[in-house]
Amino acid sequence: MQEAERLTKLPTYVFALLDKLKADERKKGKELIDLTIGSPNHLPPKEVVDTLKKAVDNPKNSRYSSFEGSPELRSAIIEWCKRRYNISIDKNEIVELLGSKEGLVHFSFAYLNEGDTLLVPQPAYPAHFRGPILAGAEPVVLPTVEHNGFLPDLDVIDKSIADKAKMLIVSYPTNPTGATAPKEFYEKAIRFAKKHDLILISDFAYAELYFEGKQPISCLSLHGAKDVCIEFHSMSKTFGMAGWRSGFAVGNAKLIESLRKIKTNLDYGPFGAVVAASTTALRIKDKYLEEMRAGYQKRRDIMVDGLNSLGWKVKKPMATFYIWIPVPSGFNAMSFVEHLLHKAGVVVSPGIGFGELGEGSVRLALVDTDDKIKEAISRMKKAGIKYNE
Ligand SMILES: Cc1ncc(COP(=O)(O)O)c(C=O)c1O
């Protein structure tokens, strides 16, 4: 049985390798502190869970959802986007998703042909390059580095490469680095997209996971963005609903329509009970979000202070629940992950999972309790793990 070429073209999925390493350690009876996958452990608001429970009892929700989407959810999305990000959209500029990953990957199938190219900053959330590869396209890597704030330098991209490409992806706050983008960067990206006739994809999954009151801005909220931009939003990180699979895309009506066209051939939209719960979530009081952010900020401080006590010189990221750190000398990303796992029972993600330019770093996801984060640091100290350049 010969797998389709699109599958063989994908780079190795290092997280599958990691799963095996974790399973082997657990078989030996080791209790691991798992900081690999960015699966938030804060609970959804109680009202949201109650809405879901009630909606499950409604027989209407056991039938297929409507292709037209839910007018209530659309209204809640319109209000939320205006209130939280000053984005103005109408109901034709929204498509509900089974999580933003689903939408991001399927968007590639709506716009990329075999052999097309697109511009993708790296290190990156894997779906940003794996989705286009599945669609037959070839990502052109835009390197990002810490001293440039992990922003790609759009000025150095060769004109012929920019003209040939079909899309540019931007995603701030960024997984895996925690970087945020200033307004000027987005303004430049919008100008660049228009000049080179590119679709501008903004992945805004971490829009609400920010610290010290510095709210990230939405690319789509800026002047002229809607001419070229589609922005992906996720309920997962904001409301602790990662397993529920709910998100939405907003933006240019033609781009939204094409994504919907692809999706009508693949799914029937989110489960009605999840739609009802998502509607409740988007109308929740800001207090829930403030408490959620305060919780992750506390963990960020514990982890960064702890790592710095072991020799790292990590700056506190202003958003996301990720800490991106260089590996000590003598290691590469994967060998340091294995070292940490075997010596301290702490599991983190190797940077190469986020593209080749992630080599030399690892990502720690703050998705366990404060006590477990403290324990991870003390286990590392006890195992003699420290940073040396
Ligand atoms: C940058 C980024 N975009 C999108 C997603 C996918 O989120 P969702 O759960 O909405 O599919 C993730 C998940 O980790 C992410 O890190």
Side-chain angles (χ1 to χ4, degrees), residues 10-260:
L10 286 172
T12 321
Y13 197 55
V14 289
F15 297 103
L17 191 63
L18 205 58
D19 281 346
K20 178 163 178 350
L21 289 174
K22 285 193 267 188
D24 289 348
E25 285 303 289
R26 286 192 174 115
K27 252 187 238 153
K28 290 183 212 153
K30 270 217 189 139
E31 195 233 317
L32 304 179
I33 299 177
D34 190 344
L35 308 179
T36 52
I37 305 296
S39 182
N41 70 333
H42 63 283
L43 295 175
K46 183 176 177 308
E47 302 90 306
V48 173
V49 177
D50 289 345
T51 305
L52 181 91
K53 286 181 181 165
K54 216 167 137 203
V56 167
D57 281 335
N58 183 345
K60 176 180 109 215
N61 287 326
S62 288
R63 309 195 68 185
Y64 287 123
S65 301
S66 141
F67 278 136
E68 307 301 314
S70 142
E72 293 82 25
L73 179 56
R74 293 258 169 109
S75 300
I77 291 172
I78 291 169
E79 288 158 27
W80 167 264
C81 283
K82 188 72 198 162
R83 182 169 73 78
R84 295 297 303 155
Y85 317 116
N86 198 28
I87 303 171
S88 302
I89 36 165
D90 66 38
K91 58 181 178 15
N92 302 319
E93 295 167 331
I94 303 170
V95 58
E96 297 83 351
L97 303 171
L98 312 177
S100 61
K101 181 181 188 182
E102 177 267 309
L104 277 162
V105 172
H106 284 145
F107 188 74
S108 283
F109 286 84
Y111 275 94
L112 295 173
N113 293 315
E114 194 78 28
D116 278 347
T117 58
L118 75 158
L119 307 175
V120 189
Q122 234 194 60
Y125 172 55
H128 292 169
F129 51 92
R130 299 176 80 89
I133 292 173
L134 279 178
E138 288 162 28
V140 175
V141 172
L142 306 182
T144 67
V145 286
E146 188 173 3
H147 67 79
N148 259 348
F150 292 108
L151 299 168
D153 186 351
L154 301 179
D155 293 329
V156 301
I157 302 169
D158 201 87
K159 185 178 174 304
S160 61
I161 292 178
D163 284 341
K164 181 170 181 274
K166 278 187 107 168
M167 297 175 177
L168 165 65
I169 301 186
V170 293
S171 181
Y172 297 92
T174 303
N175 172 11
T177 61
T180 53
K183 187 173 171 209
E184 296 71 36
F185 171 76
Y186 283 130
E187 286 170 341
K188 195 173 200 175
I190 294 164
R191 278 198 305 275
F192 184 85
K194 288 188 178 181
K195 183 170 167 200
H196 298 286
D197 193 17
L198 299 166
I199 295 165
L200 182 57
I201 299 178
S202 166
D203 176 354
F204 206 30
Y206 296 89
E208 293 296 334
L209 237 175
Y210 61 89
F211 306 125
E212 301 175 29
K214 297 213 168 69
Q215 187 184 0
I217 53 169
S218 143
C219 178
L220 190 65
S221 71
L222 297 176
H223 181 72
K226 220 194 272 176
D227 297 337
V228 285
C229 180
I230 180 167
E231 191 164 82
F232 289 84
H233 292 243
S234 169
M235 306 294 290
S236 301
K237 323 285 170 172
T238 304
F239 299 105
M241 290 166 61
W244 300 32
R245 309 315 298 133
S246 178
F248 54 91
V250 286
N252 180 281
K254 179 167 188 300
L255 302 179
I256 293 288
E257 199 39 50
S258 306
L259 179 53
R260 197 196 320 280

Side-chain angles (χ1 to χ4, degrees), residues 311-326:
W312 270 274
K313 295 185 192 98
V314 187
K315 287 202 203 99
K316 291 184 175 163
M318 296 306 286
T320 75
F321 45 38
Y322 302 119
I323 312 286
W324 180 249
I325 59 168

